[in-house]
Amino acid sequence: QVQLVESGGGMVQAGGSLRLICAASGTPFALHVMGWYRQAPGKQREEVAHITSGGGTKYADSVKGRFVISMDHAKNTVYLQMDSLKAEDTAVYYCRASINPYFNGDQGDSWGRGTQVTVSS
């Protein structure tokens, strides 16, 4: 059972920055993809970004140019650097990881419990 623990969330004013960290432990196999999702009250959970073991990245249009995802394979850790934060970025941010090369919701997927990000205007 893979355990994912997020940290780095908090409160920041619009235009500020935060860095989220997700550390994975108990991995019986190598993690091939890790990503960040977010869910605001009353809104659908959405993917913010993900990164593969090969270094490929994908960003939601709403955060492209402002957020950067990175991974340290040796530490089984994924990061999300968030700059130029906006009030609409306010949400609970969740880490997701899979031993598969993609997220498909099967037993190979794992979720963290989330960390709150609040951006005030």
Side-chain angles (χ1 to χ4, degrees), residues 7 38 44 52 70 91 101:
S7 62
R38 68 185 182 186
Q44 180 181 350
T52 68
S70 60

Side-chain angles (χ1 to χ4, degrees), residues 93-110:
Y93 284 70
Y94 298 90
C95 180
R96 190 181 190 185
S98 180
I99 60 174
N100 302 311
Y102 50 85
F103 298 128
N104 63 8
D106 68 7
Q107 293 296 315
D109 283 6
S110 298

